[in-house]
Protein backbone atom coordinates (compact mmCIF):
# COMPACT_ATOMS: atom_id res chain seq x y z
CA UNK A 1 0.00 0.00 0.00
CA UNK A 2 1.31 3.44 -0.92
CA UNK A 3 2.12 5.98 1.76
CA UNK A 4 -0.88 8.17 2.61
CA UNK A 5 -0.49 11.94 2.28
CA UNK A 6 -2.70 13.50 4.94
CA UNK A 7 -4.22 16.66 3.45
CA UNK A 8 -5.58 17.64 6.87
CA UNK A 9 -2.03 18.51 7.89
CA UNK A 10 -2.20 21.58 5.65
CA UNK A 11 -5.09 22.97 7.70
CA UNK A 12 -7.03 26.03 6.56
CA UNK A 13 -4.25 26.97 4.17
CA UNK A 14 -5.32 24.08 1.94
CA UNK A 15 -8.90 25.35 1.78
CA UNK A 16 -7.77 28.90 1.06
CA UNK A 17 -5.27 27.96 -1.64
CA UNK A 18 -4.86 24.28 -2.57
CA UNK A 19 -2.78 25.01 -5.69
CA UNK A 20 0.69 24.94 -4.02
CA UNK A 21 -0.17 21.56 -2.48
CA UNK A 22 -1.32 20.18 -5.82
CA UNK A 23 1.86 21.53 -7.44
CA UNK A 24 4.03 19.70 -4.91
CA UNK A 25 2.05 16.51 -5.46
CA UNK A 26 2.51 16.81 -9.24
CA UNK A 27 6.26 17.15 -8.72
CA UNK A 28 6.20 13.83 -6.84
CA UNK A 29 4.01 12.08 -9.41
CA UNK A 30 0.59 12.14 -11.08
CA UNK A 31 -1.23 9.80 -8.65
CA UNK A 32 -1.21 9.72 -4.84
CA UNK A 33 -2.96 8.09 -1.92
CA UNK A 34 -4.39 10.92 0.22
CA UNK A 35 -6.50 11.40 3.33
CA UNK A 36 -9.22 13.95 2.73
CA UNK A 37 -9.98 16.78 5.17
CA UNK A 38 -13.23 16.61 7.20
CA UNK A 39 -16.11 16.09 6.79
CA UNK A 40 -15.01 13.31 4.40
CA UNK A 41 -11.90 12.30 6.33
CA UNK A 42 -11.25 9.02 4.52
CA UNK A 43 -8.54 7.81 2.15
CA UNK A 44 -8.73 7.90 -1.64
CA UNK A 45 -6.51 7.95 -4.69
CA UNK A 46 -6.06 11.44 -6.11
CA UNK A 47 -5.03 12.02 -9.74
CA UNK A 48 -3.28 15.38 -10.21
CA UNK A 49 -1.60 15.15 -13.65
CA UNK A 50 -3.47 16.47 -16.70
CA UNK A 51 -2.76 13.60 -19.08
CA UNK A 52 -3.57 11.02 -16.41
CA UNK A 53 -6.73 12.86 -15.31
CA UNK A 54 -8.04 13.11 -18.87
CA UNK A 55 -7.45 9.38 -19.39
CA UNK A 56 -9.02 8.46 -16.05
CA UNK A 57 -12.16 10.50 -16.77
CA UNK A 58 -12.78 8.29 -19.82
CA UNK A 59 -11.58 4.98 -18.31
CA UNK A 60 -14.51 2.54 -18.15
CA UNK A 61 -12.69 0.48 -15.50
CA UNK A 62 -13.44 3.36 -13.13
CA UNK A 63 -17.16 3.24 -12.42
CA UNK A 64 -19.49 5.84 -10.92
CA UNK A 65 -22.03 3.45 -9.40
CA UNK A 66 -20.71 2.48 -5.98
CA UNK A 67 -23.24 -0.34 -5.97
CA UNK A 68 -21.05 -2.09 -8.52
CA UNK A 69 -18.29 -2.47 -5.92
CA UNK A 70 -19.99 -1.92 -2.54
CA UNK A 71 -23.29 -1.11 -0.85
CA UNK A 72 -25.42 1.81 -2.00
CA UNK A 73 -24.96 5.13 -0.26
CA UNK A 74 -27.25 7.79 1.17
CA UNK A 75 -27.69 9.98 -1.90
CA UNK A 76 -28.85 7.06 -4.05
CA UNK A 77 -31.14 5.68 -1.33
CA UNK A 78 -32.85 9.01 -0.65
CA UNK A 79 -32.63 10.82 -3.99
CA UNK A 80 -32.44 8.15 -6.70
CA UNK A 81 -30.25 7.34 -9.67
CA UNK A 82 -28.81 10.16 -11.79
CA UNK A 83 -26.06 10.69 -14.34
CA UNK A 84 -23.22 11.17 -11.83
CA UNK A 85 -23.78 7.83 -10.07
CA UNK A 86 -24.53 5.54 -13.02
CA UNK A 87 -22.57 3.73 -15.73
CA UNK A 88 -23.52 2.28 -19.12
CA UNK A 89 -25.99 0.98 -20.06
CA UNK A 90 -28.05 2.78 -17.40
CA UNK A 91 -26.14 6.04 -17.85
CA UNK A 92 -26.58 5.88 -21.62
CA UNK A 93 -30.32 5.37 -21.19
CA UNK A 94 -30.74 8.20 -18.66
CA UNK A 95 -28.68 10.67 -20.68
CA UNK A 96 -30.61 9.84 -23.83
CA UNK A 97 -33.94 10.52 -22.11
CA UNK A 98 -32.73 13.76 -20.54
CA UNK A 99 -31.14 15.15 -23.70
CA UNK A 100 -34.51 14.77 -25.44
CA UNK A 101 -35.74 17.59 -23.23
CA UNK A 102 -32.49 19.43 -22.39
CA UNK A 103 -31.65 20.41 -25.97
CA UNK A 104 -29.23 22.97 -27.43
CA UNK A 105 -32.23 24.76 -28.94
CA UNK A 106 -33.87 25.08 -25.52
CA UNK A 107 -30.66 26.53 -24.04
CA UNK A 108 -30.18 29.00 -26.90
CA UNK A 109 -33.79 30.12 -26.51
CA UNK A 110 -32.93 31.15 -22.94
CA UNK A 111 -30.44 33.82 -24.12
CA UNK A 112 -32.90 36.79 -24.04
CA UNK A 113 -34.25 35.75 -20.64
CA UNK A 114 -30.73 35.34 -19.19
CA UNK A 115 -29.95 38.87 -20.40
CA UNK A 116 -33.20 40.21 -18.94
CA UNK A 117 -32.58 38.66 -15.51
CA UNK A 118 -28.99 39.98 -15.57
CA UNK A 119 -30.19 43.51 -16.37
CA UNK A 120 -32.89 43.42 -13.71
CA UNK A 121 -30.43 42.30 -11.04
CA UNK A 122 -28.00 45.07 -11.99
CA UNK A 123 -30.84 47.62 -12.08
CA UNK A 124 -31.44 46.79 -8.43
CA UNK A 125 -27.79 46.52 -7.43
CA UNK A 126 -25.95 49.35 -9.18
CA UNK A 127 -27.69 52.39 -7.62
CA UNK A 128 -26.35 51.31 -4.21
CA UNK A 129 -22.72 51.83 -5.20
CA UNK A 130 -21.51 48.71 -3.40
CA UNK A 131 -22.78 45.18 -2.84
CA UNK A 132 -21.92 41.66 -1.81
CA UNK A 133 -21.68 40.18 -5.28
CA UNK A 134 -22.66 36.58 -4.48
CA UNK A 135 -25.85 37.58 -2.69
CA UNK A 136 -26.84 40.38 -5.08
CA UNK A 137 -25.84 38.94 -8.45
CA UNK A 138 -23.82 35.72 -8.80
CA UNK A 139 -26.35 33.56 -6.91
CA UNK A 140 -29.73 34.99 -8.00
CA UNK A 141 -28.92 34.87 -11.73
CA UNK A 142 -28.31 31.10 -12.12
CA UNK A 143 -30.83 30.05 -9.46
CA UNK A 144 -33.54 32.09 -11.21
CA UNK A 145 -32.61 30.65 -14.60
CA UNK A 146 -32.54 27.01 -13.49
CA UNK A 147 -35.67 27.31 -11.37
CA UNK A 148 -37.59 28.87 -14.26
CA UNK A 149 -36.22 26.23 -16.63
CA UNK A 150 -37.26 23.37 -14.36
CA UNK A 151 -40.42 24.99 -13.01
CA UNK A 152 -39.47 25.36 -9.33
CA UNK A 153 -41.77 27.83 -7.54
CA UNK A 154 -40.30 31.18 -6.50
CA UNK A 155 -41.32 30.73 -2.89
CA UNK A 156 -39.15 27.63 -2.48
CA UNK A 157 -35.83 29.13 -3.56
CA UNK A 158 -34.48 30.50 -0.25
CA UNK A 159 -34.90 27.16 1.50
CA UNK A 160 -33.47 25.40 -1.53
CA UNK A 161 -30.27 27.47 -1.39
CA UNK A 162 -29.62 26.42 2.19
CA UNK A 163 -30.10 22.74 1.36
CA UNK A 164 -28.07 22.96 -1.84
CA UNK A 165 -25.09 24.63 -0.18
CA UNK A 166 -24.97 21.91 2.46
CA UNK A 167 -25.04 19.18 -0.18
CA UNK A 168 -22.11 20.50 -2.25
CA UNK A 169 -20.04 22.07 0.55
CA UNK A 170 -20.99 20.13 3.71
CA UNK A 171 -20.19 21.58 7.09
CA UNK A 172 -20.60 18.15 8.72
CA UNK A 173 -21.66 14.65 7.78
CA UNK A 174 -24.82 15.01 9.88
CA UNK A 175 -25.85 18.32 8.30
CA UNK A 176 -25.15 16.88 4.85
CA UNK A 177 -27.38 13.85 5.51
CA UNK A 178 -30.18 16.10 6.77
CA UNK A 179 -29.94 18.29 3.67
CA UNK A 180 -30.11 15.26 1.37
CA UNK A 181 -33.18 13.99 3.27
CA UNK A 182 -34.92 17.38 2.99
CA UNK A 183 -34.12 17.69 -0.70
CA UNK A 184 -35.42 14.19 -1.37
CA UNK A 185 -38.73 14.95 0.33
CA UNK A 186 -39.05 18.32 -1.40
CA UNK A 187 -38.38 16.91 -4.87
CA UNK A 188 -40.82 14.01 -4.36
CA UNK A 189 -43.58 16.49 -3.56
CA UNK A 190 -42.62 18.83 -6.41
CA UNK A 191 -42.66 16.02 -9.00
CA UNK A 192 -46.00 14.71 -7.75
CA UNK A 193 -47.50 18.21 -7.95
CA UNK A 194 -46.30 18.55 -11.55
CA UNK A 195 -47.52 15.10 -12.49
CA UNK A 196 -51.00 15.99 -11.23
CA UNK A 197 -51.00 19.45 -12.80
CA UNK A 198 -50.33 18.20 -16.33
CA UNK A 199 -48.15 19.77 -19.06
CA UNK A 200 -46.74 23.18 -18.09
CA UNK A 201 -43.94 23.86 -20.57
CA UNK A 202 -41.06 23.60 -18.06
CA UNK A 203 -38.25 21.06 -18.30
CA UNK A 204 -39.27 18.97 -15.30
CA UNK A 205 -42.84 18.62 -16.61
CA UNK A 206 -41.40 17.57 -19.94
CA UNK A 207 -39.09 15.02 -18.31
CA UNK A 208 -42.08 13.50 -16.53
CA UNK A 209 -43.71 12.92 -19.91
CA UNK A 210 -40.64 12.18 -22.06
CA UNK A 211 -40.87 8.79 -23.75
CA UNK A 212 -38.29 7.05 -25.94
CA UNK A 213 -39.18 5.25 -29.16
CA UNK A 214 -39.37 1.95 -27.29
CA UNK A 215 -41.74 3.41 -24.69
CA UNK A 216 -39.06 3.83 -22.00
CA UNK A 217 -39.64 6.57 -19.42
CA UNK A 218 -37.94 7.82 -16.28
CA UNK A 219 -39.09 6.12 -13.09
CA UNK A 220 -40.14 8.15 -10.04
CA UNK A 221 -36.71 7.65 -8.45
CA UNK A 222 -34.92 8.55 -11.67
CA UNK A 223 -37.01 11.69 -12.05
CA UNK A 224 -36.12 12.72 -8.51
CA UNK A 225 -32.45 11.99 -9.17
CA UNK A 226 -32.40 13.98 -12.40
CA UNK A 227 -34.24 16.92 -10.80
CA UNK A 228 -31.69 16.83 -7.97
CA UNK A 229 -28.75 16.83 -10.37
CA UNK A 230 -30.12 19.53 -12.68
CA UNK A 231 -31.05 21.83 -9.81
CA UNK A 232 -27.83 21.43 -7.85
CA UNK A 233 -25.36 21.30 -10.74
CA UNK A 234 -27.44 23.77 -12.71
CA UNK A 235 -26.75 26.64 -10.36
CA UNK A 236 -23.99 25.87 -7.79
CA UNK A 237 -21.25 25.63 -10.42
CA UNK A 238 -22.39 28.77 -12.24
CA UNK A 239 -22.62 30.83 -9.04
CA UNK A 240 -18.96 30.09 -8.42
CA UNK A 241 -17.91 30.45 -12.04
CA UNK A 242 -19.30 34.01 -12.06
CA UNK A 243 -17.81 34.83 -8.66
CA UNK A 244 -14.42 33.32 -9.46
CA UNK A 245 -14.31 35.16 -12.80
CA UNK A 246 -14.93 38.53 -11.17
CA UNK A 247 -12.48 37.83 -8.34
CA UNK A 248 -9.76 36.72 -10.76
CA UNK A 249 -10.19 39.84 -12.87
CA UNK A 250 -10.25 42.21 -9.89
CA UNK A 251 -7.03 40.68 -8.56
CA UNK A 252 -5.33 40.77 -11.98
CA UNK A 253 -5.64 44.43 -13.04
CA UNK A 254 -3.83 43.96 -16.37
CA UNK A 255 -6.30 41.30 -17.45
CA UNK A 256 -9.24 43.37 -16.26
CA UNK A 257 -7.97 46.35 -18.26
CA UNK A 258 -7.59 44.19 -21.37
CA UNK A 259 -11.15 42.92 -21.05
CA UNK A 260 -12.55 46.39 -20.42
CA UNK A 261 -10.80 47.57 -23.59
CA UNK A 262 -12.35 44.74 -25.59
CA UNK A 263 -15.41 43.04 -24.11
CA UNK A 264 -15.32 40.54 -26.95
CA UNK A 265 -12.55 38.85 -24.91
CA UNK A 266 -15.21 37.75 -22.42
CA UNK A 267 -15.25 34.20 -23.79
CA UNK A 268 -11.52 33.92 -23.13
CA UNK A 269 -11.97 35.34 -19.62
CA UNK A 270 -14.61 32.73 -18.78
CA UNK A 271 -12.57 29.85 -20.24
CA UNK A 272 -9.42 30.96 -18.43
CA UNK A 273 -11.36 31.12 -15.16
CA UNK A 274 -12.60 27.60 -15.81
CA UNK A 275 -8.98 26.48 -16.22
CA UNK A 276 -7.33 28.66 -13.57
CA UNK A 277 -9.93 28.55 -10.78
CA UNK A 278 -12.79 26.38 -12.01
CA UNK A 279 -15.87 25.94 -9.82
CA UNK A 280 -15.46 22.14 -9.54
CA UNK A 281 -12.21 21.36 -7.74
CA UNK A 282 -12.45 17.59 -8.04
CA UNK A 283 -14.75 15.28 -9.98
CA UNK A 284 -17.16 13.16 -7.97
CA UNK A 285 -15.80 9.76 -6.96
CA UNK A 286 -15.11 6.88 -9.26
CA UNK A 287 -14.41 3.33 -8.07
CA UNK A 288 -12.10 0.67 -9.48
CA UNK A 289 -14.28 -2.10 -10.89
CA UNK A 290 -11.22 -4.33 -11.23
CA UNK A 291 -7.47 -4.07 -10.70
CA UNK A 292 -5.86 -1.38 -12.82
CA UNK A 293 -2.87 0.92 -13.00
CA UNK A 294 -2.87 4.69 -13.43
CA UNK A 295 0.56 6.00 -14.42
CA UNK A 296 2.08 2.81 -13.03
CA UNK A 297 0.26 3.05 -9.69
CA UNK A 298 -1.72 -0.07 -8.76
CA UNK A 299 -5.36 0.58 -7.87
CA UNK A 300 -7.18 -2.26 -6.10
CA UNK A 301 -10.79 -3.27 -6.86
CA UNK A 302 -13.27 -1.12 -4.95
CA UNK A 303 -10.77 1.66 -4.27
CA UNK A 304 -12.21 5.19 -4.60
CA UNK A 305 -10.49 7.48 -7.08
CA UNK A 306 -10.80 11.27 -7.08
CA UNK A 307 -9.77 13.07 -10.27
CA UNK A 308 -8.37 16.54 -9.60
CA UNK A 309 -9.80 18.89 -12.22
CA UNK A 310 -8.23 21.97 -10.64
CA UNK A 311 -4.91 20.18 -10.15
CA UNK A 312 -4.87 18.85 -13.73
CA UNK A 313 -5.66 22.26 -15.21
CA UNK A 314 -2.60 23.76 -13.53
CA UNK A 315 -0.26 21.11 -14.90
CA UNK A 316 2.65 22.95 -16.58
CA UNK A 317 3.05 20.01 -18.93
CA UNK A 318 -0.27 21.02 -20.52
CA UNK A 319 -0.56 24.75 -19.78
CA UNK A 320 2.72 26.73 -19.63
CA UNK A 321 3.04 29.11 -16.64
CA UNK A 322 -0.16 27.56 -15.26
CA UNK A 323 -0.47 29.83 -12.22
CA UNK A 324 -0.67 32.92 -14.43
CA UNK A 325 -4.21 34.15 -15.17
CA UNK A 326 -4.20 35.09 -18.86
CA UNK A 327 -7.47 35.69 -20.74
CA UNK A 328 -5.59 35.46 -24.07
CA UNK A 329 -4.41 31.90 -23.30
CA UNK A 330 -5.34 28.93 -25.47
CA UNK A 331 -7.39 26.99 -22.91
CA UNK A 332 -8.46 24.18 -25.19
CA UNK A 333 -8.28 20.86 -23.40
CA UNK A 334 -9.12 22.15 -19.90
CA UNK A 335 -11.06 19.67 -17.79
CA UNK A 336 -13.35 22.01 -15.85
CA UNK A 337 -16.45 20.36 -17.33
CA UNK A 338 -14.94 16.88 -17.25
CA UNK A 339 -14.26 14.63 -20.22
CA UNK A 340 -15.79 11.55 -21.80
CA UNK A 341 -19.31 10.24 -21.27
CA UNK A 342 -19.75 12.23 -18.06
CA UNK A 343 -18.89 15.57 -19.68
CA UNK A 344 -21.15 18.18 -18.10
CA UNK A 345 -24.58 18.25 -19.72
CA UNK A 346 -25.07 21.86 -18.60
CA UNK A 347 -21.80 23.31 -19.95
CA UNK A 348 -23.54 25.41 -22.67
CA UNK A 349 -25.93 26.93 -20.11
CA UNK A 350 -23.11 27.70 -17.66
CA UNK A 351 -21.09 29.40 -20.39
CA UNK A 352 -24.11 31.41 -21.58
CA UNK A 353 -24.86 32.69 -18.09
CA UNK A 354 -21.24 33.45 -17.14
CA UNK A 355 -20.47 35.29 -20.39
CA UNK A 356 -23.67 37.32 -20.16
CA UNK A 357 -23.10 38.17 -16.50
CA UNK A 358 -19.46 39.20 -16.94
CA UNK A 359 -19.95 41.25 -20.09
CA UNK A 360 -22.97 43.10 -18.73
CA UNK A 361 -21.47 43.72 -15.29
CA UNK A 362 -18.25 45.21 -16.69
CA UNK A 363 -20.14 47.29 -19.25
CA UNK A 364 -22.52 48.78 -16.69
CA UNK A 365 -20.05 49.06 -13.78
CA UNK A 366 -16.78 50.23 -15.40
CA UNK A 367 -15.35 51.22 -12.01
CA UNK A 368 -15.89 47.81 -10.47
CA UNK A 369 -13.36 47.08 -7.68
CA UNK A 370 -12.97 45.04 -4.51
CA UNK A 371 -14.57 46.59 -1.43
CA UNK A 372 -12.64 44.68 1.22
CA UNK A 373 -11.39 41.12 1.63
CA UNK A 374 -13.46 38.29 0.16
CA UNK A 375 -15.25 35.75 2.31
CA UNK A 376 -13.87 32.32 3.10
CA UNK A 377 -13.54 29.63 0.46
CA UNK A 378 -16.19 26.93 0.62
CA UNK A 379 -15.37 23.79 2.65
CA UNK A 380 -14.86 20.36 1.13
CA UNK A 381 -13.08 19.31 -2.04
CA UNK A 382 -15.93 19.34 -4.55
CA UNK A 383 -16.82 22.99 -5.14
CA UNK A 384 -14.28 25.81 -5.41
CA UNK A 385 -15.76 29.21 -4.66
CA UNK A 386 -16.04 32.12 -2.25
CA UNK A 387 -18.87 32.52 0.23
CA UNK A 388 -18.93 36.26 -0.39
CA UNK A 389 -17.26 38.94 -2.53
CA UNK A 390 -17.73 42.59 -1.50
CA UNK A 391 -17.44 45.00 -4.45
CA UNK A 392 -17.97 48.69 -5.21
CA UNK A 393 -18.10 50.78 -8.36
Amino acid sequence: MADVIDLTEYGEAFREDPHPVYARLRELGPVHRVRLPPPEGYDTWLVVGHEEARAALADTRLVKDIGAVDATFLEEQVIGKHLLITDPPQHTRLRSLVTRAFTARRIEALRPRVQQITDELLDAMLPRGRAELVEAFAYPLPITVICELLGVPEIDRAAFREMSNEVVAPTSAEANAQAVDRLGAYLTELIEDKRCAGPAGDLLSELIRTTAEDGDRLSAGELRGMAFLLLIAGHETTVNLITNSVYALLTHPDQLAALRDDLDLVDGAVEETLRHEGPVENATFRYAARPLRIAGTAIAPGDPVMIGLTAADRDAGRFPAPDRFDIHRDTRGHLAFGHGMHYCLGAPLARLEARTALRTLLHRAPGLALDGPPGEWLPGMLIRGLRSLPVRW
Side-chain angles (χ1 to χ4, degrees):
M1 178 63 68
D3 291 338
V4 176
I5 298 172
D6 190 351
L7 297 179
T8 63
E9 293 180 357
Y10 295 98
E12 282 301 301
F14 182 69
R15 184 206 289 203
E16 292 295 316
D17 185 7
H19 303 296
V21 175
Y22 292 144
R24 285 195 287 274
L25 291 179
R26 282 194 304 272
E27 290 175 0
L28 296 172
V31 185
H32 300 278
R33 188 79 174 173
V34 301
R35 179 159 300 135
L36 302 179
E40 290 89 355
Y42 41 79
D43 295 355
T44 181
W45 294 102
L46 176 64
V47 183
V48 294
H50 186 277
E51 181 180 346
E52 294 77 14
R54 185 178 179 86
L57 287 167
D59 193 330
T60 56
R61 297 172 299 175
L62 294 173
V63 298
K64 301 286 285 185
D65 185 355
I66 191 174
V69 296
D70 202 346
T72 56
F73 66 120
L74 175 67
E75 184 178 308
E76 180 182 331
Q77 293 170 337
V78 175
I79 299 296
K81 290 286 191 181
H82 57 72
L83 294 175
L84 287 184
I85 56 173
T86 54
D87 305 293
Q90 187 174 25
H91 177 273
T92 308
R93 170 182 161 270
L94 289 177
R95 187 151 184 143
S96 174
L97 286 167
V98 172
T99 52
R100 287 173 176 272
F102 199 72
T103 61
R105 179 179 297 179
R106 185 189 285 268
I107 299 307
E108 182 56 32
L110 289 173
R111 187 178 297 274
R113 180 59 179 146
V114 171
Q115 185 65 63
Q116 181 184 9
I117 296 168
T118 300
D119 287 331
E120 289 172 353
L121 289 170
L122 292 178
D123 287 345
M125 184 181 91
L126 293 179
R128 303 203 300 268
R130 54 172 27 100
E132 197 284 282
L133 192 78
V134 177
E135 184 71 29
F137 187 61
Y139 173 74
L141 171 58
I143 193 64
T144 301
V145 171
I146 199 65
C147 284
E148 287 186 0
L149 179 65
L150 287 169
V152 176
E154 178 80 31
I155 194 170
D156 296 317
R157 295 180 193 177
F160 175 75
R161 182 186 184 186
E162 178 188 345
M163 291 184 282
S164 175
N165 284 350
E166 189 59 48
V167 168
V168 301
T171 55
S172 70
E174 181 182 5
N176 177 258
Q178 290 173 351
V180 171
D181 276 336
R182 290 172 60 199
L183 265 175
Y186 170 74
L187 292 172
T188 297
E189 183 177 351
L190 176 65
I191 290 168
E192 186 56 32
D193 288 347
K194 288 190 173 296
R195 197 188 301 277
C196 295
D202 60 79
L203 180 60
L204 190 51
S205 294
E206 192 167 329
L207 284 173
I208 290 171
R209 291 161 182 84
T210 292
T211 305
E213 284 84 352
D214 61 0
D216 188 21
R217 300 178 72 167
L218 294 169
S219 69
E222 290 167 345
L223 275 169
R224 188 171 55 245
M226 291 310 305
F228 170 84
L229 179 62
L230 291 169
L231 273 169
I232 299 287
H235 87 278
E236 285 285 359
T237 51
T238 311
V239 171
N240 294 298
L241 176 54
I242 294 170
T243 305
N244 293 358
S245 296
V246 174
Y247 183 60
L249 288 164
L250 294 183
T251 52
H252 295 83
D254 60 326
Q255 300 303 300
L256 177 59
L259 182 54
R260 281 178 170 152
D261 287 343
D262 182 4
L263 286 176
D264 286 341
L265 293 172
V266 70
D267 290 9
V270 170
E271 295 305 313
E272 176 65 343
T273 300
L274 285 164
R275 183 206 68 83
H276 183 265
E277 198 75 272
V280 182
E281 185 171 340
N282 295 281
T284 53
F285 283 109
R286 285 161 168 78
Y287 304 89
R290 56 182 183 271
L292 71 145
R293 288 184 175 273
I294 301 177
T297 299
I299 312 294
D303 277 3
V305 177
M306 179 178 279
I307 301 172
L309 306 181
T310 287
D313 282 341
R314 294 233 191 165
D315 187 337
R318 179 62 182 82
F319 298 104
D323 294 329
R324 187 180 71 230
F325 181 75
D326 180 3
I327 66 174
H328 298 90
R329 182 194 297 273
D330 181 355
T331 58
R332 286 176 295 182
H334 75 66
L335 300 176
F337 289 121
H339 174 64
M341 75 176 75
H342 290 285
Y343 184 83
C344 178
L345 185 70
L349 180 58
R351 285 183 164 116
L352 170 61
E353 292 180 76
R355 291 167 180 173
T356 303
L358 201 55
R359 176 188 286 270
T360 311
L361 176 64
L362 293 180
H363 173 69
R364 295 189 56 183
L368 189 71
L370 290 174
D371 192 35
E376 66 177 8
W377 291 90
L378 293 169
M381 291 185 64
L382 175 61
I383 295 292
R384 179 76 179 151
L386 293 162
R387 287 201 185 276
S388 60
L389 186 64
V391 293
R392 56 180 169 80
W393 47 90

